[in-house]
Amino acid sequence: MPPEPFTSLRDHIDAIESAGLLQHINNAHWDLEIGAITEQVAFSGKPRALLFDSIVDYNPGFRVATNLHVSRDLQALALGMPLGVSGVDLVKDWRSRTSKLERLPPLEVNDGPIRENVLTGDDIDLFSFPAPQWRAPDGGRYIGTGDVTFTTDTEGGWVNAAPYRAQLFGPKRMTIEIAETHHGKQHLKSFWEAGEHAPIVMVAGQDPYTYAGACTPLPAGYPELEYAGGLMGKPIEVITHKETGLPIPATAEIAVIGFVPPLDEDSEDEGPFGECTGYFTHGGLHPVVNVTEIWHRNNPILQGNPTMHGSAMRHALGAEILTSSRMWDAIENEIPNIQGVYAIYQQCQQGAHITAVSIKQTYDGHAKQTATSIAGSLANGTLSRAVIVVDEDIDPSDWEDVLFAFSTRCDPYEDIDIVRGMPNSHLDPRIPPDLKKQGVRTTSTMLINACKPYHWKDQFPQTNSVDNSLKQEMVDKFNLNDW
Ligand SMILES: Cc1cc2nc3c(=O)[nH]c(=O)nc-3n(C[C@H](O)[C@H](O)[C@H](O)COP(=O)(O)O)c2cc1C
Ligand SMILES: [Mn+2]
């Protein structure tokens, strides 16, 4: 039986604590210390979730949670999957869950813990929450990094939900950064074109399914909350906010409610902010949210997911698992004997920099065909630097294993091809500035065959490795895991 899904951030954090993966930290400063501790722990030998309390300048109880899904086990825990399994096993699990996922519209309720405090008028103060200054070069304090932001269009036809960053500018004033291609921006624009201020709700601290749904790139018109309900296996409970008409998850921690005037009416110089690519790449004039109300739970927990250089595991929930699943789906009906697909190095929540695929080589050219298919798939289609194909004895979600195959089975001159002009992201720090100005967005991608050469694979020297079942037997017999 899979575990009961978490219906709030608090249930989720309790489960992290029970699994021994939560550290409490008191007396850290919102100015740089929370950000520095978060990164130090994320990249340590024991990545773990952090719950900050008694933050300098703040009353105890006003908390910040970070690193909620910085490791494979933490991601598995959040999504109700088993701990201690390989990345490829998580991908298989995810594919079987999402292939039969049913959309479940949210359930409207009248009240919930999010309404324990309803602030209006002069009681509204965004600085009453310990929003961190995550990094010294950041343009200011960010309350929205692990948030879910709700928007709709003028027709009120559908509600979008996605994480968009929000920077503080005043007690009732923050900015929201939304890329042109994202649905939230299209929603804001539909109000602006009608000469109106766009309604918006930013929730900071929510159950992991709402967050995972919001992180999933769904097509326009597909409300992420319905997908989140499908993932949770029951509808997400929401309270509809009257003036904005937008849903607010009943168990959320903090909801910032307001209206966004057109950019030419009001704006702030937002950023810079460390992007998911690991660089400070942009800032500039951004839309302002005029805050009309704040709802929050007692002792609210602000969910912070600052982007850090390195794997997408560290900021998005389910990113590697999701991207891997979508790539696998894309090639499954074309390429035979795929054993595993894994976005082994992925920084943003979409588009893998390095993807590893394991196959049972079936015919001459099978490995290169797999590499070209993965490289051409939509899910792989941004920031992709390399696709590495390995044999079935290699775990494509294990770096050590993939590098072992690359360094022993691949002759670079024979086995690597480079394709130029592949689609890419505007966030790629490697696009030369002058070409970027001209609109150039492409990257080249390496197709690496790290399989044993097909024609003499049966004569390839035998690998020196102990059988997994014998290793497990020894673990049990001699209590090796007790160390
Ligand atoms: C932690 C995190 C922060 C993000 N920050 C932003 C952001 O500031 N602006 C933005 O446009 N997208 C941001 N994204 C990406 C979008 O949320 C993501 O691509 C989402 O799927 C877009 O959904 P939409 O197509 O419904 O707009 C962020 C993603 C994550 C996981
Ligand atoms: Mn969307």
Side-chain angles (χ1 to χ4, degrees), residues 9-69:
L9 180 62
R10 292 177 190 213
D11 289 353
H12 176 203
I13 290 177
D14 285 349
I16 297 176
E17 176 134 54
S18 303
L21 292 170
L22 182 76
Q23 183 178 0
H24 294 266
I25 297 195
N26 290 330
N27 306 316
H29 206 299
W30 56 265
D31 190 11
L32 301 182
E33 289 191 353
I34 292 180
I37 296 166
T38 296
E39 177 161 323
Q40 169 62 26
V41 169
F43 286 84
S44 70
K46 193 179 176 200
R48 55 202 180 269
L50 298 170
L51 188 59
F52 295 90
D53 201 347
S54 300
I55 294 162
V56 173
D57 296 337
Y58 286 88
N59 289 334
F62 276 60
R63 296 165 288 171
V64 173
T66 66
N67 285 353
L68 295 175
H69 15 77

Side-chain angles (χ1 to χ4, degrees), residues 35-349:
I37 296 166
T38 296
E39 177 161 323
Q40 169 62 26
V41 169
F43 286 84
S44 70
K46 193 179 176 200
R48 55 202 180 269
L50 298 170
L51 188 59
F52 295 90
D53 201 347
S54 300
I55 294 162
V56 173
D57 296 337
Y58 286 88
N59 289 334
F62 276 60
R63 296 165 288 171
V64 173
T66 66
N67 285 353
L68 295 175
H69 15 77
V70 281
S71 69
R72 204 168 271 162
D73 274 353
L74 281 164
Q75 300 240 348
L77 189 146
L79 296 169
M81 298 198 274
L83 272 58
V85 303
S86 76
V88 170
D89 285 336
L90 295 179
V91 174
K92 287 180 184 161
D93 196 338
W94 189 257
R95 290 183 76 214
S96 75
R97 282 167 62 174
T98 50
S99 68
K100 38 180 195 284
L101 183 134
E102 267 183 64
R103 287 167 65 150
L104 282 181
L107 178 71
E108 285 205 33
V109 295
N110 292 327
D111 206 2
I114 182 66
R115 282 182 58 82
E116 281 166 354
N117 301 274
V118 173
L119 309 178
T120 55
D122 287 346
D123 290 337
I124 299 171
D125 183 7
L126 289 168
F127 291 104
S128 64
F129 303 99
Q133 172 86 28
W134 295 101
R135 306 275 183 268
D138 284 350
R141 297 172 68 173
Y142 278 83
I143 192 168
T145 56
D147 61 293
V148 174
T149 296
F150 297 95
T151 54
T152 187
D153 58 18
T154 41
E155 322 281 294
W158 62 287
V159 173
N160 195 70
Y164 304 129
R165 75 187 191 220
Q167 185 185 339
L168 298 187
F169 280 88
K172 298 184 187 183
R173 191 171 167 82
M174 66 181 198
T175 48
I176 191 86
E177 198 281 342
I178 315 183
E180 287 301 311
T181 47
H182 287 157
H183 300 142
K185 192 54 153 300
Q186 290 152 26
H187 278 171
L188 298 189
K189 281 183 168 170
S190 79
F191 282 89
W192 297 348
E193 280 156 16
E196 293 173 44
H197 293 191
I200 199 163
V201 168
M202 188 215 62
V203 161
Q206 56 282 314
D207 74 84
Y209 293 96
T210 296
Y211 190 62
C215 289
T216 305
L218 298 174
Y222 190 150
E224 283 83 0
L225 270 183
E226 296 191 9
Y227 188 82
L231 285 175
M232 190 188 274
K234 56 182 174 190
I236 308 290
E237 295 191 358
V238 298
I239 303 169
T240 302
H241 178 262
K242 270 207 198 76
E243 284 74 32
T244 57
L246 292 169
I248 300 180
T251 65
E253 297 287 333
I254 300 166
V256 179
I257 303 156
F259 289 86
V260 189
L263 200 56
D264 56 8
E265 193 182 309
D266 197 3
S267 63
E268 285 282 2
D269 194 6
E270 193 261 5
F273 183 71
E275 307 282 351
C276 55
T277 52
Y279 294 89
F280 291 86
T281 35
H282 88 263
L285 293 185
H286 276 77
V288 167
V289 180
N290 290 318
V291 179
T292 54
E293 242 173 282
I294 292 178
W295 296 359
H296 73 86
R297 294 181 68 147
N298 293 335
N299 298 326
I301 306 173
L302 173 62
Q303 181 180 330
N305 286 24
T307 48
M308 294 177 239
H309 62 277
S311 154
M313 281 286 179
R314 301 201 169 87
H315 78 289
L317 176 50
E320 295 179 9
I321 300 165
L322 188 94
T323 304
S324 308
S325 301
R326 290 180 62 220
M327 289 192 282
W328 198 336
D329 290 346
I331 66 167
E332 158 158 285
N333 293 328
E334 294 273 322
I335 310 292
N337 294 329
I338 302 289
Q339 308 296 297
V341 176
Y342 205 75
I344 197 163
Y345 194 76
Q346 187 187 351
Q347 287 183 314
C348 297
Q349 108 280 15

